[in-house]
Amino acid sequence: MTGLVARINVSSGGVPKTPVDAAWVDVLGLEGDGHRDSRHHGGPDRAVCLYALEAIEALQAEGHPIFPGALGENLTVRGLPWKTLTPGRVLEVGTAVLEITAYTSPCETIAGAFRDGDFSRVAHKRHPGWSRLYARVLVPGRVRRGDAVRLLAPGQSPAESTGR
């Protein structure tokens, strides 16, 4: 399965994150990105946060004032079967390789993205398939807006998917 990077988002800390055209991704995340709360965000197992543009659009249709970057995601992606992305799945994004590690736990800092302030709308336990995802970086690399995002089959190595 292949999708694409719709938007790359960074900030010095907090939300919303703002768009950049490209970023280097390493084991601690995207260049130019920071976190106000390093206890709950960032680190090797939470280096990159991803969210689906289709989910953002569906939430907008429900009347929420959400937009790409409003939930603090680093990569807004389009065209992937979001509900099938679970911890352990591996994605090639640009020249980087990411492994999904966890569903994010939403907090009050993203309440403004929701019509009623109910940020639990994107909590995996209450609404499976609507959560943002955390990922670790298996292979550092460059990510650009418009790059392909390839969901690898379980057990498939990145080299097998591209013939590298």
Side-chain angles (χ1 to χ4, degrees), residues 1-7 50-64 66-69 71 73 75-85 114 121-122 129-133 149:
M1 294 242 139
T2 302
L4 64 87
V5 176
R7 192 166 134 166
L50 301 101
Y51 203 47
L53 185 57
E54 293 89 347
I56 291 170
E57 292 168 346
L59 290 165
Q60 288 171 335
E62 291 177 9
H64 301 288
I66 188 174
F67 55 89
L71 299 187
E73 79 276 7
L75 300 177
T76 310
V77 300
R78 174 185 281 291
L80 294 174
W82 196 253
K83 292 180 181 185
T84 69
L85 299 184
F114 298 93
R121 179 63 184 83
V122 293
W130 288 88
S131 178
R132 296 162 296 154
L133 302 169
V149 180

Side-chain angles (χ1 to χ4, degrees), residues 96-135:
V97 179
L98 310 177
E99 178 186 7
I100 298 167
T101 56
Y103 303 104
T104 64
S105 295
C107 68
E108 64 274 354
T109 60
I110 63 169
F114 298 93
R115 172 184 65 226
D116 52 6
D118 184 9
F119 55 88
S120 72
R121 179 63 184 83
V122 293
H124 180 71
K125 289 182 181 177
R126 292 189 66 188
H127 302 280
W130 288 88
S131 178
R132 296 162 296 154
L133 302 169
Y134 276 133

